[in-house]
Each structure stands twice: as structure tokens, then as C-alpha cells.
Amino acid sequence: MPIFSTKANFSKMNQDAFFMEQAVLLSQRHMEEGQGGPFGCIVVKDGVIVGRGWNSVLAGNDPTAHAEVMAIRDACRHLGTYQLDGCAIYTSCEPCPMCMGAIYWSRPEKVFYANTREDAAETGFDDSFIYDELVRPLEQRKIPMIAMDKTEALKVFRLWQEKENREQY
Amino acid sequence: MPIFSTKANFSKMNQDAFFMEQAVLLSQRHMEEGQGGPFGCIVVKDGVIVGRGWNSVLAGNDPTAHAEVMAIRDACRHLGTYQLDGCAIYTSCEPCPMCMGAIYWSRPEKVFYANTREDAAETGFDDSFIYDELVRPLEQRKIPMIAMDKTEALKVFRLWQEKENREQY
């Protein structure tokens, strides 16, 4: 993966457009290769591209292999951390709930996006449906969510709280 | 990974409790190893465990390595598909929005859970915070979401729609 700085060559405004162009170019290239849907994403820190991802759901038989998830994982691998402090994410489309969750867990500084969830829905992707589902009560979901006895599971939560030197993330 | 059938030995009711116990045992074992938080998950098809996962955010430097994401990826790898038709997911805790998104994209038949999002919040995990964020307008999010020009990105969506033999997932 080429890692290069654009600091010297671009004004801040052009930098954002340049990075978004990179994300969109990834979305096109790998969609045309048949890896998955038309989505691309890059992660930038201090003007340097530190992570890249594209949808590879089909090629990888992996429903979690969305562009943002792949770019976040790539960036964390390169940076040796599970937190994207001070990073910006450029994604060719507004993130779906799964990717938005991944973004909150990785805590970048900001997110730039181009296409919207409505554009995605019109193009045949279920993002809007999932956003709608997540606010329904658990007992009204399309995929049944069944509560079970939590006695043993709660004990493990207590063990975590009592764990010495645990790293809270 | 041991794959074994419990069909012969358990009534349906005991099966669900058995599978949840497996998920909870994974949550404890790998938490104690220091892999990550106290979360475990298994995927079951036709009474057979086809995928297992546990939180390995810390060990893997991967903020997306939640138990459910790992179990779904493991099951898809074993089954050679990106869809979990006819599968049940047993997770030691109500899924966070990222994992719930992964569940909707992988389309299992149902989900069993033990601990709730409130239990997770009390134990120091941000699930509830993220659920709250996802329903806020994009311009009011804690992590700024910045819309950019979408001319080029939309063109790639159109190319996808025009793509011959595309696999809609």
C-alpha cells in the first residue's frame, strides 16, 4: 500500500477533495473487479493516508467487509492501535449502522462522506431499513431477538469489573 | 475448531440453554486471556455450531473485533457464503449497533441474547451512547459528519446499477 503525504502540495480544501476522490476511485475499481458493492474509504492522519478499504462482501464471503470496516481495520493495523485519535475518515457513502458503529468504537476526529443513505437505498442497499429497525423495540424486530436467562452472563460482566489492570476501551 | 452436533442429546429447550452457555464460556475464557471485553458468540445451523467468536479488540488492535462480528465472519468462512440463512446466533450480550448491523447484513433467522445493553453500559461499554447517537441528525453528532460533493460518487452508484450480472446482496 502506498503511503504518501499530500501536505506539501495541497491547500486544506483541496486536500479534502483529493482524499474523497481517492475513496471514490477505490469504490469504482474494486466494484468493477467484482469484489463487492460500489463503496470505498480511506483513513487519514496528519495529511497521510494510513488506511484504505473497499467493499469486498462478495469476494471475501464476508458480510462485515464494508469499505469503512476494512479501512478502519487497515488503519489500526498500520498504526498499532484500536483507536483512531486525530484521524479523519473519507467514505464514498454515508456509513450504514454497522460502519457507523465501527466509527464510534474507533473514535476518529471526523468523517467526510459523499453519497447519502437515501442514494444507497435507491441503489438497492438496505442501509435505511437497518436504521429503521435499530430504533424499534427488540420484540418488534424483523429478525427476532430473544432474551434468555442472564445469570451466568452477568457473572462474567462482574468478573470483568473485578479484573485487575483491565484495559477499558 | 470442534464442530459437533447436539441434536441427539438435547431437547430443543435445553439446546438453546446449551448454546448460550457455550457463548458465555467463550466470553469468560478469552476475557481472562486478555483478548478483550467479556463477550462471546456462536452461530448455529441445524443444531451444529458453525461459527464462534469473542471480543478480541485489545489482542488484535481491531475495534471491529466484537464477538458477533467475529462469529459471523467465522460462520461465513465455514459455510462459504455471506448469508446466514437458517442460522441462529447466540450472544452473551445484546449486540451493539455495529454488531446489530452485521446481523442484519448477514440475515440469520434469529438471535438469542443474555446481558442487555443497559448491563453493558453499567459495565463500562458505550453501546447505549452509540444507539443514542445513531438517531441524531447527522449535523448534531459527537463525531462530526461532513457532507461533500457527491457528483463523482453518484456516478459510481450508476455504474453499479448498469453493471451486467451484478450480484445484489
Side-chain angles (χ1 to χ4, degrees):
Chain A
M1 185 185 106
I3 294 191
F4 53 94
S5 170
T6 59
K7 263 189 181 163
N9 307 318
F10 292 94
S11 73
K12 185 69 194 78
M13 193 158 188
N14 283 340
Q15 260 197 46
D16 288 337
F18 170 81
F19 289 133
M20 181 57 79
E21 184 182 36
Q22 289 292 309
V24 173
L25 287 171
L26 286 177
S27 79
Q28 180 173 354
R29 175 183 302 175
H30 298 288
M31 178 267 283
E32 287 175 346
E33 283 173 359
Q35 298 243 332
F39 303 94
C41 182
I42 63 167
V43 181
V44 173
K45 183 165 190 170
D46 299 331
V48 180
I49 296 176
V50 293
R52 306 186 312 150
W54 50 86
N55 187 298
S56 49
V57 169
L58 301 177
N61 272 334
D62 180 356
T64 74
H66 284 200
E68 297 92 329
V69 166
M70 300 306 277
I72 289 168
R73 299 179 74 214
D74 191 44
C76 286
R77 209 159 36 228
H78 278 86
L79 297 172
T81 171
Y82 55 85
Q83 296 285 269
L84 296 178
D85 299 328
C87 292
I89 291 181
Y90 296 78
T91 175
S92 66
C93 184
E94 181 187 339
C96 82
M98 175 179 74
C99 294
M100 209 63 240
I103 287 166
Y104 278 101
W105 290 118
S106 63
R107 303 189 181 91
E109 198 174 289
K110 50 194 168 182
V111 177
F112 297 87
Y113 67 96
N115 289 324
T116 66
R117 73 176 80 174
E118 291 78 17
D119 297 322
E122 281 170 26
T123 311
F125 297 98
D126 271 348
D127 304 37
S128 280
F129 162 74
I130 299 177
Y131 274 109
D132 293 342
E133 279 287 290
L134 289 193
V135 294
R136 285 184 208 279
L138 287 179
E139 57 278 12
Q140 294 175 21
R141 301 281 181 87
K142 293 278 193 298
I143 296 177
M145 297 288 301
I146 303 152
M148 290 187 71
D149 181 85
K150 65 182 184 182
T151 313
E152 296 304 314
L154 259 183
K155 283 184 194 164
V156 183
F157 270 13
R158 298 293 159 262
L159 287 174
W160 166 261
Q161 288 180 305
E162 291 158 12
K163 194 173 193 279
E164 292 189 17
N165 305 320
R166 74 172 190 273
E167 191 172 351
Q168 191 78 47
Y169 58 89
Chain B
M1 185 185 107
I3 295 191
F4 53 94
S5 172
T6 59
K7 262 189 179 162
N9 307 319
F10 293 91
S11 73
K12 184 71 193 76
M13 194 160 187
N14 283 341
Q15 260 198 46
D16 288 337
F18 169 81
F19 288 133
M20 181 58 79
E21 184 182 35
Q22 290 293 309
V24 173
L25 287 170
L26 286 178
S27 79
Q28 180 173 355
R29 174 183 301 176
H30 298 289
M31 179 266 284
E32 287 174 346
E33 284 173 359
Q35 299 242 331
F39 303 94
C41 182
I42 62 167
V43 180
V44 173
K45 183 164 192 170
D46 299 331
V48 180
I49 296 177
V50 294
R52 305 188 311 149
W54 50 86
N55 187 297
S56 49
V57 168
L58 301 177
N61 273 334
D62 181 356
T64 73
H66 284 200
E68 298 92 329
V69 165
M70 301 304 278
I72 289 169
R73 299 179 74 213
D74 190 45
C76 286
R77 209 157 38 228
H78 279 86
L79 298 171
T81 170
Y82 54 87
Q83 296 285 268
L84 296 177
D85 299 329
C87 291
I89 290 180
Y90 297 77
T91 176
S92 65
C93 184
E94 182 187 336
C96 81
M98 175 179 73
C99 294
M100 209 62 240
I103 287 166
Y104 278 101
W105 289 119
S106 63
R107 303 190 180 90
E109 198 173 288
K110 51 193 167 182
V111 177
F112 297 87
Y113 67 96
N115 289 325
T116 66
R117 72 175 81 171
E118 291 80 15
D119 297 322
E122 282 170 24
T123 311
F125 297 98
D126 271 348
D127 304 36
S128 280
F129 162 74
I130 300 177
Y131 274 109
D132 293 343
E133 279 287 292
L134 289 193
V135 294
R136 285 184 209 279
L138 286 180
E139 57 279 12
Q140 294 174 20
R141 301 283 180 86
K142 292 278 194 294
I143 298 177
M145 297 289 300
I146 302 151
M148 290 188 69
D149 181 86
K150 65 182 184 182
T151 314
E152 295 305 314
L154 259 184
K155 282 184 194 164
V156 183
F157 269 13
R158 298 294 158 262
L159 286 174
W160 167 262
Q161 288 181 306
E162 291 159 12
K163 194 173 193 279
E164 292 190 16
N165 306 318
R166 74 172 191 273
E167 192 172 348
Q168 191 79 45
Y169 58 89

